[in-house]
Structure formats: C-alpha cells, structure tokens
Amino acid sequence: MTLNEKMALLKENSASRKIRIMIIGLGSVGHYLLDYLMSTADENLEIIVAGRNHEKMEMDVNIVKVSSSIRGQNRTNIIIESGVDLNDVSSITKAIYEHKPDIIINSSRAYSGLKYGSISWSNFRAYGIWTPLSIKYTKNIMDAYSNAESKAIVINTSYSDAVIPWLKSAGKAYPDFGSGNVNHLVPRIKFALAAENNISDWWNIDVTYAVAHFHDVVISKEGQTENVDQLIYAEHNGKKLEVTDKIFAACKIAMPVDTKRNMMNASSNFEIIQGILGAIRSCKKTKIHSPGFDGNIGGYPIIIDGTDTNPKVYIDNSRFSLDEMKKKNRESIYLDGIENVTDGVLFYTDELLQKVQNVCGVKLPKSVPFAEIDNTAQFIISNIIEKFKK
C-alpha cells in the first residue's frame, strides 16, 4: 500500500472512530512526544505506548497524564502495551495486530542512555558509523509491521537519512517518514534570516532545503558548511532572502547536550503527525523537511497536501529538481561516512574506515550486507561504544 493510499484510508477511518497512534519506545523522545500529543487536548486520538518495562512506562504515562490534567489538556486516552521486546519480532507483531494503529512512531534506540554523537563527532566527525545500530530495531518493527499486515503510516526517528534507504533497497517494508536532522536546522536558519533582515514574524519565512545529516550537525555545531554549497531557498512574503555564510554562522547557537536535545526530535515527530492530521481533518497543506523520505538518501522538503479530495504526500520540487536534491544529499552524507546504500548493502567511506582504525584500532567492514546488521551492530557496541565508556 502506498503512502497516499494510507492517507486516504486514514481519512476514511477518522470519520467513524478515533485515530490510533502507537509510540514504540518510551525513552526521552517518546516521553516528550507523548506530552506534546496530550497538549493538543484531542479527544479523537488514542495513544498506545509500547515497550518492555510496564512499571517504567506506567510512571512515565502517569506524570504526563497528571501534568496535562493540571494544564486542562488531558482529553486523550492512553493505553500501555508492555511485554514488547524489540529484539523479538513476534512480540511487536502481536502489539501491532491487536491495536491496529493508524500511525506508528519508532522512537526506540538499540543502545539507550547514550548520545551517539558524543562519541562520533569528536573522534570520527561522522555519524554514519552508527547506521547498523540505528536500523537494528527499525528493521524488526518493519518486519512485524509486514507480519501484522498493518496499513499504518510509519515515522522513524533514528538516522532515517540512511536507514530508510537501506530497508527499501533490501526489498523490505520501510517507514514512510523520517523525523529530525535537517528539520532541526531549518528553525535556526529562520531565526538568523529574521535577525539579518529585521523580520519580526520569523515564522512566515519559508525555507526549502535539501541536505543530509552531516550538515545539520556541522552547521549547528560550528556555523560553517565545510565548503559545500547548500541547496537552499528562502523567502518572506514573496521576497527572496539570501542565505549566506553569515546566516549559517548565526545558526551556531548554544544548546544542551543531554537528553533535553530530544525535545527537537520529538517535535519533528509531532510536526509530521500534525501535518497528517491537518491534511485529513482540515484539508490543510503543510511543508515539512524529512530525512529518508520514499527511500531516498538524505533529507528533503516534503508537502503533505489535504486540499484535494484525496490527500497526498510528495517531495517538493518547486525550487530544485529531484536529481539536484539527490546529488546534494549524497555529497552531504558522504561526509557523514556513508559512501552508498544499494541492493541491501551499506557502504562506509574509506575515510571513515581509516579514522576508526586510527582512533579505535579496529577495522570496520567496508560493506555491511543486510543479513549482517545485527552482527555489525554488536561489533560496534563491543569495540567502539564500550571502549569509550570505560
């Protein structure tokens, strides 16, 4: 079933029942997202939180329920589905089959309690090394999704720039949207453009941007583009705004490095959900930025359009062609350590392999076939993550 067919089905179902949203993994991203969804005071939503530790999930759900009640926003029913082990596809299948969610958000992490970037940026200057870890649970969820014959719209949180293309190239079911990455950079660009051009209503600045994860990080952390021209267009009330090196420099703003950063990723998930609900309920048209959309490497501007009879979602090519965007994304993700993703195989760059050899004294494989994802993920945990945690 295509994404547009899923959108049409969701619109049809929403006319007769509540929309069911399943959050898989109630870590910090899932917790923030649950709180944001409750803040909408939407009586026509039902939220299922799925994970393994019932006691922890119950405590997290209770604090959100009480807090949203204090704010007068608790209108949404929450169901706790425990016993979902993300290493066990059958347990995920059972939860999806029984609850039949309309939207599924994967906010899980294969190695919890660690920001991977705290290791990779300072040591390898590339995030792509973690791709086997990022896909480890996503592939299990999508296997369960297929087994349950689900028709839900799926949003993935973990490094979708490469994870979604890897799944699609392997002939597997794959998430419809990726959250985060380029989407975290766009607000910074709007803030900088507003300051430079004396614009008070910065939220009316329109940005169209195609770029992969590396540039989200290097621009956000260092305010520079690594001398790579950016594929970006910005305007305000029909007037073009120049996005210069000065604008990118102003994107370097102070941010926390702990789990509070996950407010951004939860917000990206929330934006996608609101775009979907706005399209099917209110015939709205929304532009977002999403990594890995339709199995394409990198991040793209996306239109969620409910203005026609049948809602549809597509890559916005009004400013740049799809070929231009694909090419620019490959330039960006190469700097993140990913040379290619094709035919179910991930290829690391030679530069990343050499950095890992120099820093850790271990050899990563040049290529990771789909069947070797779990083994490679464990190799990275044992030989890289655990080494830096000592």
Side-chain angles (χ1 to χ4, degrees):
M1 179 175 274
T2 67
L3 173 55
N4 288 341
E5 289 171 336
K6 294 176 188 178
M7 291 284 292
L9 178 62
L10 179 57
K11 182 176 181 177
E12 180 183 341
N13 289 338
S14 68
S16 59
R17 61 165 174 80
K18 294 182 178 183
I19 293 173
R20 306 182 192 113
I21 298 176
M22 175 177 280
I23 302 173
I24 300 180
L26 201 61
S28 57
V29 173
H31 185 90
Y32 282 127
L33 176 59
L34 178 62
D35 191 40
Y36 299 160
L37 289 171
M38 292 296 285
S39 73
T40 64
D42 192 336
E43 299 176 39
N44 292 310
L45 289 184
E46 187 168 75
I47 303 172
I48 304 104
V49 295
R52 184 165 51 183
N53 189 330
H54 182 89
E55 183 179 3
K56 178 185 180 300
M57 289 194 297
E58 185 176 41
M59 288 192 295
D60 288 345
V61 166
N62 284 342
I63 190 68
V64 170
K65 287 172 67 175
V66 172
S67 298
S68 60
S69 296
I70 293 169
R71 300 192 303 264
Q73 298 169 334
N74 187 347
R75 301 287 186 276
T76 304
N77 185 42
I78 303 174
I79 297 170
I80 299 174
E81 178 59 57
S82 57
V84 175
D85 182 349
L86 295 180
N87 289 302
D88 177 13
V89 173
S90 64
S91 72
I92 313 169
T93 302
K94 182 174 181 290
I96 294 174
Y97 182 80
E98 289 184 353
H99 292 283
K100 293 180 173 51
D102 300 294
I103 300 172
I104 297 173
I105 300 95
N106 169 31
S107 65
S108 63
R109 290 175 67 82
Y111 195 99
S112 61
L114 172 72
K115 293 296 289 182
Y116 300 151
S118 65
I119 295 174
S120 58
W121 188 251
S122 58
N123 290 286
F124 314 123
R125 204 173 172 79
Y127 193 92
I129 183 175
W130 311 118
T131 314
L133 277 171
S134 298
I135 198 174
K136 178 178 170 63
Y137 285 162
T138 310
K139 69 178 177 63
N140 290 352
I141 291 168
M142 296 314 299
D143 279 346
Y145 176 93
S146 296
N147 294 344
E149 298 182 345
S150 177
K151 297 178 176 62
I153 296 168
V154 183
I155 304 169
N156 183 61
T157 299
S158 188
Y159 201 55
S160 296
D161 300 72
V163 163
I164 298 178
W166 200 352
L167 285 161
K168 185 177 183 180
S169 75
K172 303 289 186 178
Y174 56 92
D176 300 287
F177 294 93
S179 73
N181 299 352
V182 60
N183 200 37
H184 298 170
L185 184 55
V186 168
R188 297 168 183 256
I189 292 169
K190 290 184 179 183
F191 297 158
L193 285 168
E196 178 69 13
N197 294 277
N198 295 315
I199 295 171
S200 57
D201 58 333
W202 64 266
W203 50 90
N204 286 322
I205 295 174
D206 182 65
V207 172
T208 304
Y209 196 12
V211 75
H213 177 269
F214 177 84
H215 279 93
D216 164 45
V217 178
V218 76
I219 294 171
S220 298
K221 282 183 174 291
E222 300 177 5
Q224 55 96 12
T225 65
E226 210 79 351
N227 297 315
V228 175
D229 291 336
Q230 299 297 288
L231 202 61
I232 186 169
Y233 183 90
E235 66 176 16
H236 179 254
N237 293 336
K239 178 184 177 183
K240 183 179 179 181
L241 303 174
E242 295 298 327
V243 185
T244 62
D245 288 344
K246 182 179 179 181
I247 297 299
F248 288 123
C251 291
K252 181 185 176 183
I253 59 177
M255 297 285 280
V257 296
D258 59 11
T259 56
K260 289 191 291 292
R261 288 183 60 85
N262 287 330
M263 292 175 69
M264 294 188 296
N265 219 328
S267 297
S268 296
N269 283 294
F270 181 80
E271 180 188 43
I272 296 167
I273 293 168
Q274 289 301 98
I276 293 168
L277 297 183
I280 65 168
R281 288 174 167 177
S282 306
C283 302
K284 290 183 179 179
K285 183 176 182 179
T286 305
K287 179 162 70 177
I288 63 169
H289 287 82
S290 176
F293 182 80
D294 198 28
N296 291 296
I297 292 172
Y300 298 82
I302 307 298
I303 302 295
I304 304 175
D305 189 355
T307 57
D308 204 351
T309 305
N310 295 315
K312 53 186 178 293
V313 187
Y314 54 90
I315 294 176
D316 180 6
N317 61 0
S318 62
R319 298 296 179 187
F320 313 110
S321 71
L322 182 57
D323 285 344
E324 286 179 295
M325 290 188 275
K326 286 182 176 181
K327 182 176 183 295
K328 186 56 64 175
N329 272 297
R330 285 181 177 271
E331 287 181 40
S332 179
I333 206 165
Y334 188 94
L335 295 173
D336 226 17
I338 304 297
E339 183 176 289
N340 202 4
V341 182
T342 184
D343 297 325
V345 182
L346 173 85
F347 293 87
Y348 288 123
T349 64
D350 292 338
E351 292 88 339
L352 176 60
L353 297 179
Q354 190 60 58
K355 289 175 185 176
V356 173
Q357 176 77 52
N358 293 343
V359 173
C360 301
V362 297
K363 287 189 68 173
L364 273 178
K366 171 68 178 178
S367 59
V368 183
F370 198 84
E372 289 297 314
I373 286 172
D374 288 349
N375 289 338
T376 307
Q378 188 55 53
F379 177 88
I380 291 170
I381 290 171
S382 300
N383 293 279
I384 298 174
I385 290 179
E386 296 295 346
K387 176 176 181 177
F388 280 100
K389 286 194 71 178
K390 289 179 180 177

